Amino acid sequence: MEYESIIFLCILVLLLLILIIHYIICIINIIRFNKELKLMGQDYISYSSMINLKNKYKFLRNKVRFSLFIFINFKTTYDNLQKVIDQMNKDYIEEQLIINKEYFDKLFNYPIDEEQRRAILTDDDNNLIIAGAGSGKTTTIIGKTRFLIDKKGIDPREIITISFTRASTDSFVKKLDDDRVQCSTFHKLGKDIIEEGNFKKDIASEALLHKLTKKYISEELIKTPEKRDRFIRLYSYHIHYNNSKDKDFGDVIEIEKGYDKETLKSRFIKNKLLKQQDKKALMTLKDEKVKSLQELVIANYLFLHGIEYEYEAKYICNTTNEYYRQYHPDFYLPEYKLYIEHFGVNKDFRAPQYSEIEEKRYLEGIKWKRQIHEQNGTRLMETYSYEFDNYGIERVLKKKLKEFGVKVKPINYDEVIETISKINSEEMSSFYSLVEKFIKIFKENNFEETKFDEFYKDSVKKKNIRHQYLLEFIKDVYLYYQNDLKINNSIDFADMINLATERVNLEYNKKVSYIIIDEFQDISFSRYKLVKAIQDKTNAKVIAVGDDWQSIYRFSGCDLNLFVNFKDYFEHPKIMYITNTYRNCQNLIDFAGSFVMVNKNQIKKKLKSNVPNFNWPIEYYFYVSDIEGAAKAAIENLRELGCEKIAILGRNNSDLNKFKSDKEPFITEKSFNQKFGDNVIFSTVHKSKGLEYDGVIICNMDNYIAGFPNKMSDDPVLDYVTLSKDDFLYEEERRLFYVALTRTKTKCMLLVPLKNESLFSKELHDISKDKIKTNIIEDSEILHNPACPRCKTGVLICRVNNVDKSTFVGCSNYPACDFNYKTDDIIKNPIKCEKCGGYLVKRKGMYGEFFGCINYPYCKQTIDKVELDKNNN
């Protein structure tokens, strides 16, 4: 019994000893943990360092299960390590701000602000610095690079800084003044990496894709009749993205106004006359332009099927009466004595795009037209807007024309291709850009050719015929382009980046501690993969700097999703803001910010400025035809403010020609300087990115397909190749306009055509209300004329009847809106009808003069003249 007690006692002592040893080991490890954590706190603690520490002491956390005070303290710290480290990092930054105050004060010729200093001191594995326009982004990047070298002891050869243009890289090198740091564009970085592997292929010119796109249309399509015919249908029926469904009449006009609605028949005849060198006929030839995109499709269909037609020919009988003018049906087929009318109605035979009164008038007009044909025994074929849904109009026209006995006569499609290939218009240039943009993004994403088949199947599933035509054509151009690269043993920029990424994944022996990327909002998926490959190989820290509001390079493959959702691509990033802007005044920033953030799918930021406000930071210069005079007036205004360096910014390179005279075939730099002075330069908005001027003037504020906004630049077909899906209309064009507005140190002037003002110009004016000053060049009162009661977006102006020279009031949106009235009282003395939104005009009745609505008999609102005079007084 005594023996058993001794054994039990020994076991108990042994267990106690084991427990004591366990406690001692735990305490020793806790002390080590605390020391290590304290030592880490002497510097910024990154997320990976925190994870390494947590993993290192995970065994200790599993062992500590008792409630000794020291254990409780450790468990609390360990279980809340992220919060503990966040506070330690905060304390570290506060301490370093004091320690390095003199360093930061003297780092540049001017002190950098606190947000910039905090961004420089923050040193996580992945960092995103969101910078506003003019907020000192480049200063912050240079400051960060110098701080890493001067204060953190980082070898400058272990730092890679990347920008997107050679100019910005050269500027960075000059300002940094340390050639040991690898400052590079993505182009040079990729080229250097693949050349390390003795890669021998040539790199193709950036212009090659554009050249081959045009060549494919002019030379290759005719070799394959099926592809030729499908492209002709694409161009004739589906080239325009029609976003007018379920829109008000005025909105439809604004959307369609900028498109070139010249028919293919008109272009074909001009091309023939050019070939025949018939200059006399060319001079007398009048372009055939239709009123709407749907009418354009019908006209092109008739022409391509060899069906002779006349557009808006006078009806065979006189139809003028008290309520209706002479009837001009949309199309007349003389060979078949058949009229075609296209009616803007839905399946319920309603016209909801109009107001209630205007819809009644429109539907009554349809009845009247039908009655005219019935009374005179003429044949009428009707088409309707809803028949364009899902691009089904081709099938509908084929069926209806056959029912009326109209026969198809084949025309020479090779000559049609020749005609299309020779079209030298902004609209065609925009189409080429769309094709090239799709292919560039496709290649930037490193998609395989089979991806086109996936896209096509999706378009078939969605019954989107337009996308089917586009995808087929783009795929053919892509294959043609790829074959040319292969034949010439060359690669393009996207190939080079993708090959560089492959090489880094296989072999990369350089030591890299930091990768600093400027203008990160413009990064593409392939460039992201290259950066990520280098980071994964080297454990380098990534510092990305940019502004999603200034993402304007979608045409080169940039994907904004990589910026807006940075955390999905770089693990546990630190997000910082620098919001003090040193270029623009506060009220201009507010106007521009409100404009760009109409699209909520962007990062919200509140920029601040100490630059003194101008009463009118934005001014409009409205003109009728004298854009040069408007520009000179704006320049004079800026010079009076002391501006020396002034930029006229255009949406396109060709906008420069807006300032040429009739005697000039094109404008040169010399003639431009003669007009405006040596200190005034012309630039596109894209080229002005990252630059600033004393004063800025924006031109091409036209509502046109290649105006501002460019209506083909954000085509929905690009959603197939873009990772980020933003359905907001003209979303990148909106950011481009924001860039234009924020290039100035003083004021921004807009040159705006009175008769065809752009959507952005109107919207900015609505946002800023009475904060924008209006200047009218040339004697014109149109700006103050009353709005058209039908479309609401046009204004009423006086017109002259070409036949009897009588005057009448019409809409400035004619011919898209054909509202007219016989008296100009509406303009001289506009009295709004409170009942229907029309206008009241003077009439005579049994008891004297009174005012009645122009919409009578649909609206019978009246007001006595005496009562009106009384109210006016």
Side-chain angles (χ1 to χ4, degrees):
M1 191 73 180
E2 186 177 334
Y3 177 74
E4 290 176 350
S5 297
I6 292 170
I7 292 173
F8 176 77
L9 185 62
C10 288
I11 292 171
L12 193 65
V13 170
L14 182 62
L15 288 171
L16 183 62
L17 184 62
I18 291 170
L19 185 62
I20 291 170
I21 292 170
H22 171 77
Y23 270 104
I24 292 171
I25 290 171
C26 286
I27 290 168
I28 290 171
N29 280 301
I30 288 171
I31 292 169
R32 284 176 179 167
F33 171 83
N34 288 332
K35 279 185 177 180
E36 196 166 339
L37 182 60
K38 185 177 180 181
L39 185 65
M40 288 170 67
Q42 294 177 14
D43 202 342
Y44 190 95
I45 305 172
S46 66
Y47 178 80
S48 61
S49 298
M50 185 267 290
I51 292 297
N52 290 338
L53 181 68
K54 203 160 189 174
N55 289 337
K56 184 176 180 180
Y57 288 95
K58 187 177 182 179
F59 78 95
L60 181 60
R61 178 63 184 86
N62 292 333
K63 284 184 177 182
V64 175
R65 302 187 183 281
F66 304 104
S67 299
L68 289 179
F69 175 76
I70 191 168
F71 290 177
I72 293 172
N73 194 34
F74 165 74
K75 284 194 294 183
T76 302
T77 300
Y78 185 92
D79 292 346
N80 297 280
L81 192 56
Q82 182 67 69
K83 288 183 179 179
V84 171
I85 286 178
D86 284 346
Q87 185 58 50
M88 290 176 70
N89 283 337
K90 186 178 178 183
D91 294 341
Y92 166 80
I93 289 174
E94 296 300 328
E95 181 185 35
Q96 292 298 312
L97 284 171
I98 297 169
I99 293 172
N100 292 291
K101 182 181 183 304
E102 186 177 358
Y103 174 82
F104 286 134
D105 286 346
K106 295 180 178 179
L107 190 55
F108 299 97
N109 295 327
Y110 46 86
I112 56 176
D113 65 39
E114 187 172 316
E115 286 179 332
Q116 291 173 308
R117 297 179 190 210
R118 289 180 182 277
I120 290 170
L121 290 167
T122 301
D123 199 35
D124 223 309
D125 302 308
N126 299 304
N127 309 269
L128 177 64
I129 302 172
I130 301 171
S135 61
K137 173 173 55 66
T138 303
T139 297
T140 307
I141 294 172
I142 292 171
K144 177 73 177 182
T145 308
R146 286 184 179 172
F147 185 82
L148 290 173
I149 298 167
D150 297 343
K151 294 292 185 176
K152 304 273 287 187
I154 302 297
D155 186 338
R157 288 162 294 195
E158 295 176 14
I159 302 172
I160 299 176
T161 64
I162 310 171
S163 191
F164 281 79
T165 65
R166 179 69 181 271
S168 58
T169 302
D170 291 346
S171 174
F172 185 85
V173 169
K174 185 178 179 180
K175 291 175 181 177
L176 181 63
D177 194 26
D178 191 332
D179 57 9
R180 296 172 298 172
V181 176
Q182 183 183 345
C183 302
S184 176
T185 61
F186 270 105
H187 187 282
K188 186 177 186 303
L189 178 65
K191 191 169 183 285
D192 288 347
I193 291 171
I194 64 173
E195 285 181 348
E196 287 173 7
N198 296 316
F199 193 81
K200 298 299 181 184
K201 290 190 177 183
D202 293 330
I203 298 172
S205 161
E206 286 282 328
L208 179 64
L209 179 55
H210 178 73
K211 177 184 174 183
L212 291 179
T213 302
K214 296 185 73 173
K215 185 179 179 183
Y216 180 77
I217 294 173
S218 62
E219 297 181 16
E220 293 299 313
L221 277 174
I222 57 174
K223 296 177 182 177
T224 313
E226 184 182 353
K227 291 182 184 297
R228 175 203 63 190
D229 297 353
R230 290 185 71 80
F231 174 73
I232 288 172
R233 289 200 290 275
L234 165 62
Y235 174 83
S236 303
Y237 312 143
H238 308 298
I239 191 172
H240 302 109
Y241 167 51
N242 192 345
N243 189 43
S244 58
K245 189 179 178 183
D246 301 325
K247 296 281 196 301
D248 290 339
F249 180 52
D251 292 335
V252 173
I253 288 175
E254 291 304 306
I255 290 169
E256 294 190 359
K257 186 188 284 184
Y259 291 108
D260 184 355
K261 293 186 275 287
E262 183 179 356
T263 64
L264 189 52
K265 172 186 172 183
S266 175
R267 296 186 187 279
F268 187 85
I269 293 170
K270 279 196 289 187
N271 187 51
K272 271 204 162 187
L273 292 174
L274 279 169
K275 284 172 67 178
Q276 295 165 4
Q277 296 186 332
D278 194 340
K279 295 180 181 178
K280 187 176 180 181
L282 265 172
M283 289 175 66
T284 58
L285 179 67
K286 187 178 180 182
D287 293 349
E288 181 182 74
K289 295 195 175 187
V290 295
K291 291 179 180 176
S292 70
L293 293 181
Q294 292 188 350
E295 284 189 354
L296 181 64
V297 170
I298 295 171
N300 287 347
Y301 183 93
L302 295 173
F303 169 70
L304 289 173
H305 289 80
I307 302 167
E308 185 186 348
Y309 72 86
E310 297 174 19
Y311 180 65
E312 291 195 331
K314 183 179 178 181
Y315 184 65
I316 194 171
C317 302
N318 182 20
T319 61
T320 306
N321 61 28
E322 183 181 356
Y323 299 106
Y324 292 100
R325 293 176 296 165
Q326 174 60 42
Y327 179 30
H328 289 262
D330 293 331
F331 299 94
Y332 176 59
L333 313 188
E335 186 178 350
Y336 301 95
K337 293 185 172 53
L338 175 66
Y339 293 94
I340 301 176
E341 276 286 8
H342 180 63
F343 297 131
V345 294
N346 60 21
K347 287 184 178 179
D348 299 321
F349 215 83
R350 296 288 305 276
Q353 67 270 27
Y354 296 106
S355 66
E356 184 179 349
I357 290 284
E358 290 298 333
E359 183 185 29
K360 286 180 181 178
R361 191 195 304 276
Y362 186 75
L363 296 178
E364 284 288 338
I366 294 176
K367 290 179 183 178
W368 175 77
K369 290 173 182 178
R370 286 173 172 174
Q371 288 170 2
I372 289 292
H373 286 284
E374 188 176 345
Q375 290 167 4
N376 294 288
T378 49
R379 299 200 303 162
L380 174 66
M381 175 182 135
E382 298 180 9
T383 59
Y384 313 108
S385 284
Y386 72 83
E387 291 172 330
F388 279 78
D389 292 353
N390 296 320
Y391 307 96
I393 192 63
E394 284 184 81
R395 174 179 44 80
V396 170
L397 287 171
K398 180 179 180 180
K399 180 183 177 183
K400 289 188 176 184
L401 288 166
K402 186 176 181 181
E403 288 172 356
F404 279 91
V406 178
K407 295 179 180 178
V408 172
K409 298 174 185 175
I411 65 170
N412 191 328
Y413 271 25
D414 287 352
E415 289 187 21
V416 175
I417 284 290
E418 180 188 354
T419 297
I420 295 172
S421 69
K422 288 184 178 178
I423 296 172
N424 183 22
S425 67
E426 295 284 6
E427 187 166 280
M428 204 62 192
S429 294
S430 296
F431 174 71
Y432 293 141
S433 285
L434 173 62
V435 173
E436 293 155 27
K437 187 186 298 187
F438 189 104
I439 292 171
K440 284 181 179 179
I441 301 173
F442 186 91
K443 295 199 67 175
E444 285 282 352
N445 288 332
N446 205 15
F447 288 147
E448 297 292 332
E449 181 191 325
T450 54
K451 203 74 176 173
F452 275 106
D453 299 327
E454 291 180 33
F455 298 156
Y456 188 81
K457 286 177 184 176
D458 182 72
S459 68
V460 171
K461 185 179 178 182
K462 293 175 179 175
K463 297 180 179 178
N464 193 320
I465 295 174
R466 177 176 183 270
H467 282 179
Q468 291 169 37
Y469 280 129
L470 272 170
L471 289 167
E472 284 180 325
F473 176 72
I474 294 171
K475 179 183 178 181
D476 289 340
V477 175
Y478 166 80
L479 294 175
Y480 184 62
Y481 173 61
Q482 290 292 95
N483 187 57
D484 187 88
L485 292 175
K486 184 179 179 180
I487 290 171
N488 291 289
N489 194 35
S490 59
I491 59 172
D492 61 12
F493 178 69
D495 293 326
M496 183 178 68
I497 295 295
N498 292 328
L499 287 168
T501 304
E502 289 177 17
R503 176 161 175 75
V504 169
N505 287 329
L506 290 171
E507 180 185 12
Y508 192 77
N509 300 318
K510 286 190 174 182
K511 188 175 181 182
V512 181
S513 298
Y514 286 86
I515 306 170
I516 304 174
I517 311 160
D518 189 13
E519 306 287 9
F520 188 79
Q521 77 278 353
D522 295 326
I523 199 167
S524 67
F525 193 68
S526 65
R527 280 172 267 197
Y528 151 73
K529 288 199 294 185
L530 176 58
V531 171
K532 198 73 179 70
I534 295 173
Q535 183 186 41
D536 291 344
K537 277 282 184 179
T538 63
N539 291 319
K541 294 183 176 181
V542 169
I543 301 160
V545 188
D547 179 11
D548 58 311
W549 290 5
Q550 298 185 71
S551 178
I552 60 172
Y553 287 105
R554 193 181 187 185
F555 65 82
S556 65
C558 114
D559 200 311
L560 190 55
N561 190 56
L562 293 159
F563 187 97
V564 175
N565 296 308
F566 188 80
K567 65 182 185 303
D568 295 339
Y569 301 94
F570 292 94
E571 188 180 32
H572 298 282
K574 203 69 181 175
I575 311 291
M576 295 154 279
Y577 291 80
I578 51 176
T579 58
N580 294 307
T581 179
Y582 302 96
R583 180 189 303 148
N584 312 126
C585 58
Q586 187 66 53
N587 49 4
L588 188 145
I589 291 168
D590 292 341
F591 296 156
S594 297
F595 176 83
V596 78
M597 274 307 292
V598 169
N599 180 2
K600 306 297 181 186
N601 302 322
Q602 297 170 130
I603 298 172
K604 189 176 182 180
K605 56 184 84 77
K606 183 65 177 175
L607 303 182
K608 301 169 295 229
S609 173
N610 290 322
V611 178
N613 277 336
F614 290 95
N615 289 333
W616 312 103
I618 299 173
E619 293 192 27
Y620 282 25
Y621 284 79
F622 284 99
Y623 64 91
V624 177
S625 58
D626 187 12
I627 188 174
E628 184 180 326
K632 286 180 177 177
I635 290 167
E636 184 61 30
N637 190 326
L638 290 172
R639 282 175 177 154
E640 287 175 2
L641 293 174
C643 295
E644 294 181 1
K645 188 180 178 183
I646 298 170
I648 296 179
L649 302 181
R651 171 61 186 82
N652 316 294
N653 285 311
S654 58
D655 292 343
L656 178 61
N657 286 319
K658 288 182 176 294
F659 302 100
K660 75 178 183 68
S661 66
D662 294 336
K663 298 176 182 178
E664 296 175 288
F666 55 88
I667 193 166
T668 63
E669 184 178 346
K670 183 179 179 181
S671 59
F672 184 83
N673 290 338
Q674 286 174 345
K675 291 176 192 289
F676 303 120
D678 293 338
N679 66 331
V680 181
I681 62 111
F682 175 85
S683 172
T684 63
V685 184
H686 280 103
K687 289 177 182 175
S688 76
K689 175 76 170 59
L691 303 176
E692 61 183 23
Y693 308 93
D694 296 332
V696 161
I697 299 166
I698 306 175
C699 67
N700 198 0
M701 298 310 302
D702 298 56
N703 188 6
Y704 179 58
I705 190 168
F708 215 162
N710 182 299
K711 297 186 177 187
M712 203 177 280
S713 65
D714 287 332
D715 195 287
V717 76
L718 293 171
D719 288 344
Y720 283 107
V721 285
T722 309
L723 298 177
S724 54
K725 301 292 185 282
D726 192 342
D727 295 329
F728 200 87
L729 186 62
Y730 307 134
E731 44 102 1
E732 184 170 82
E733 290 291 299
R734 183 173 293 274
R735 292 192 290 270
L736 187 63
F737 189 52
Y738 171 80
V739 169
L741 290 170
T742 54
R743 296 307 93 199
T744 182
K745 293 181 183 178
T746 54
K747 290 187 176 187
C748 188
M749 311 302 200
L750 273 63
L751 308 183
V752 185
L754 266 168
K755 293 183 179 179
N756 200 29
E757 182 179 357
S758 95
L759 306 177
F760 282 174
S761 173
K762 288 183 178 181
E763 186 181 332
L764 182 65
H765 197 276
D766 289 342
I767 289 172
S768 307
K769 294 185 170 56
D770 58 344
K771 303 296 183 183
I772 289 179
K773 186 177 180 181
T774 296
N775 306 283
I776 302 179
I777 307 302
E778 304 170 85
D779 185 19
S780 177
E781 297 298 323
I782 188 174
L783 195 65
H784 307 292
N785 283 9
C788 171
R790 180 170 299 169
C791 70
K792 306 291 193 296
T793 60
V795 294
L796 298 180
I797 56 177
C798 287
R799 294 188 180 279
V800 178
N801 188 306
N802 290 329
V803 179
D804 60 13
K805 305 304 178 184
S806 61
T807 59
F808 65 97
V809 170
C811 178
S812 61
N813 280 333
Y814 179 82
C817 174
D818 60 359
F819 172 84
N820 67 91
Y821 201 73
K822 56 192 173 185
T823 174
D824 61 358
D825 286 352
I826 304 175
I827 295 178
K828 292 178 180 177
N829 183 29
I831 305 168
K832 201 81 171 175
C833 175
E834 295 179 2
K835 190 173 181 180
C836 74
Y839 292 97
L840 301 177
V841 294
K842 192 185 295 183
R843 298 182 185 276
K844 286 186 179 180
M846 292 175 60
Y847 305 103
E849 290 186 341
F850 69 97
F851 286 83
C853 184
I854 61 172
N855 286 324
Y856 180 84
Y858 305 105
C859 176
K860 297 180 179 178
Q861 175 78 348
T862 62
I863 186 169
D864 186 80
K865 185 176 184 300
V866 176
E867 184 182 346
L868 182 66
D869 293 340
K870 186 178 177 182
N871 291 338
N872 290 337
N873 293 330

